[in-house]
Amino acid sequence: MAHGDITHIDIPVSDTGAASRFYGELFGWQIAELPGFEGYPMWQAPNKISGGGLAPREEGFTQPRSYVEVDSIEETLAKVTALGGSVVMDKQPISETSWWAIFTDTDGNTIGLYEGITEAG
């Protein structure tokens, strides 16, 4: 994927098993927990491109969150603040080759950022 592409969508859920069954049957998504990501079932749409995770619902994470791939999280977060947005979570590792961060835009929408490559078994 390229800079600016939506790369991942997290859906907050209270019961990952029930949500896996629901979305699997509703949309035909392939849903599985990958090694190293236990408790976070990941879904892939039939197009084999769209995907995301079923993440535990918690305070501050009550609505689906899209993640946009960027070339540099640091540069993107600097641009977010220069344009009037705010950083919710600075760059954090996912693996040795991938990172994520979260920001809020000027309208209060929460968006995730993704940089790197995730080796997923």
Side-chain angles (χ1 to χ4, degrees):
M1 296 198 146
H3 182 87
D5 284 349
I6 302 255
T7 188
H8 190 87
I9 299 171
D10 273 338
I11 300 171
V13 299
S14 301
D15 180 332
T16 57
S20 294
R21 287 187 296 281
F22 177 83
Y23 286 110
E25 290 181 30
L26 182 65
F27 296 129
W29 290 352
Q30 298 298 310
I31 302 172
E33 288 187 14
L34 303 175
F37 295 96
E38 290 79 11
Y40 176 66
M42 291 192 213
W43 59 272
Q44 184 175 48
N47 67 11
K48 304 291 186 209
I49 298 170
S50 303
L54 302 177
R57 180 180 300 277
E58 58 188 39
E59 186 177 332
F61 181 53
T62 60
Q63 297 295 319
R65 180 186 303 138
S66 298
Y67 291 81
V68 179
E69 184 162 334
V70 295
D71 295 330
S72 167
I73 286 178
E74 291 93 343
E75 290 175 12
T76 303
L77 290 178
K79 199 169 189 177
V80 162
T81 56
L83 293 170
S86 59
V87 176
V88 174
M89 184 186 83
D90 280 316
K91 183 177 180 179
Q92 300 291 316
I94 297 170
S95 71
E96 292 182 10
T97 59
S98 60
W99 302 266
W100 67 306
I102 302 169
F103 72 91
T104 302
D105 70 11
T106 55
D107 237 355
N109 298 299
T110 303
I111 308 293
L113 299 174
Y114 171 82
E115 175 188 339
I117 299 169
T118 299
E119 297 297 329

